[in-house]
Amino acid sequence: NLTGNPLKDGPYLKQQADKYKQEPFSAELEANMADMLVQIAEKDYKSTLYTFLDKKNKEIDNQLENVQKRFKNLNYNAGNKILEEIIRNNIFAWNDTDKYTYKCFGTPLEYILFKNLFEDEQREIKPVNCDLAKVYRMFCFGLSQKKRYADARNAIERAVELNPVDPEVYVSFIELAKMQRDR
């Protein structure tokens, strides 16, 4: 009788727990029902989050073009603001778990290279629905232009996590290191 909707399933599971409250197995039943509700709520949360991101992340290519225009005009604050919004929208979605590793590859060759060099046999590779490594790489550039080197380093390290075979990420890493050495 579960629907997958935590707002409907929560009261139903509570009703079932109350129904069997006097039984010797009631504590175990209640614990299992609580676990089910957590799983349903987590699935609902992820479904809602990924639906939101699918919609929002389709706009990222246009947003990145706007960032490039702003950077070209030396307006790093405005470009960084756009990138911060993209990052804020995606911050809770693409964190590796014991079961999955989330990566965003710019080309099929990068995917094959990653599988050959880094694939973790215990975790399944899940694709990020946008080139988030590029977002972090551009954010690193914008932050470094504002001399926020520690934040830029964090951004480029996140880009490496998301796509450890993107050569542009390593070029950006080297450029940041040169800037820090020259200051």
Side-chain angles (χ1 to χ4, degrees):
N1 292 329
L2 297 176
T3 64
N5 180 345
L7 297 176
K8 292 180 182 176
D9 293 342
Y12 172 75
L13 290 172
K14 170 89 169 94
Q15 178 187 27
Q16 294 303 308
D18 289 345
K19 183 176 174 181
Y20 295 102
K21 195 172 197 138
Q22 301 305 318
E23 299 296 328
F25 56 84
S26 67
E28 185 180 340
L29 180 66
E30 221 170 272
N32 286 331
M33 288 182 175
D35 285 343
M36 279 193 264
L37 190 57
V38 166
Q39 289 173 359
I40 291 167
E42 185 177 286
K43 189 181 280 185
D44 182 60
Y45 165 76
K46 285 185 176 180
S47 172
T48 303
L49 177 65
Y50 292 141
T51 301
F52 167 78
L53 290 176
D54 281 341
K55 181 180 172 196
K56 283 300 233 181
N57 287 349
K58 287 178 183 170
E59 304 165 4
I60 286 183
D61 288 335
N62 292 336
Q63 290 173 307
L64 293 180
E65 285 178 26
N66 287 335
V67 170
Q68 288 174 329
K69 288 176 189 173
R70 301 243 177 10
F71 283 179
K72 194 173 188 177
N73 292 325
L74 306 179
N75 189 351
Y76 300 108
N77 288 334
N80 285 343
K81 224 173 225 183
I82 294 169
L83 294 169
E84 285 171 347
E85 180 186 347
I86 295 169
I87 290 168
R88 194 173 28 258
N89 286 342
N90 285 277
I91 197 113
F92 295 114
W94 313 114
N95 297 312
D96 289 352
T97 66
D98 292 338
K99 193 173 180 179
Y100 302 111
T101 183
Y102 294 94
K103 302 295 177 207
C104 53
F105 302 109
T107 66
L109 180 61
E110 288 177 358
Y111 173 75
I112 292 168
L113 187 59
F114 176 82
K115 281 188 67 76
N116 286 322
L117 293 176
F118 297 105
E119 184 174 25
D120 183 347
E121 296 295 325
Q122 298 179 2
R123 291 192 291 179
E124 182 182 341
I125 300 169
K126 291 282 194 175
V128 175
N129 65 1
C130 66
D131 192 352
L132 206 51
K134 182 177 182 179
V135 170
Y136 278 98
R137 188 177 71 240
M138 291 176 73
F139 194 44
C140 169
F141 175 77
L143 292 169
S144 65
Q145 295 303 307
K146 298 303 288 177
K147 302 196 183 334
R148 293 176 50 194
Y149 298 118
D151 293 334
R153 184 172 180 96
N154 290 337
I156 201 64
E157 286 174 352
R158 181 63 175 142
V160 169
E161 288 173 19
L162 289 164
N163 188 353
V165 294
D166 180 356
E168 291 183 49
V169 169
Y170 293 103
V171 170
S172 296
F173 212 117
I174 291 166
E175 291 298 323
L176 176 63
K178 286 188 334 191
M179 284 180 174
Q180 286 181 294
R181 190 187 64 208
D182 292 342
R183 63 179 174 132

